[in-house]
Amino acid sequence: MDIINEQVIQTLRAQGLPDGIRLSLSGTANKLTQTWDAMVLQLIMALIIVYLVMAVLFESFLYPLIIIFSGATGDSWLPCLDWRY
């Protein structure tokens, strides 16, 4: 949606629109943008909840951070280390 907004809509606005003409994303495109924003917020909230639960279980605020970040970095490097790709 950002590409459409930057490359199409902004270009058309820069060229100038006739009086009374308004240009914006609507319908499914607008709903997709709203859904994406909501998903990002929910992902952040889920990570916070998982961190807090792990902090309670491990009785430490440091160990959950180590586990979360080591898992994320380990998973991201896995395809790079596999020679079959």
Side-chain angles (χ1 to χ4, degrees), residues 9-83:
I9 294 177
Q10 296 299 330
T11 304
L12 290 173
R13 285 183 181 155
Q15 292 174 357
L17 295 173
D19 293 334
I21 301 296
R22 191 180 68 166
L23 188 61
S24 66
L25 290 175
S26 64
T28 306
N30 190 26
K31 292 291 183 189
L32 180 63
T33 304
Q34 290 175 353
T35 303
W36 182 258
D37 293 341
M39 277 188 357
V40 169
L41 178 64
Q42 291 171 357
L43 177 64
I44 292 169
M45 291 300 296
L47 287 172
I48 291 170
I49 291 170
V50 166
Y51 171 76
L52 291 174
V53 168
M54 290 176 70
V56 168
L57 291 174
F58 289 121
E59 298 177 356
S60 170
F61 289 109
L62 180 63
Y63 294 145
L65 285 175
I66 293 171
I67 292 169
I68 289 171
F69 286 119
S70 66
T73 57
D75 291 343
S76 65
W77 283 100
L78 188 61
C80 297
L81 297 176
D82 193 0
W83 290 80

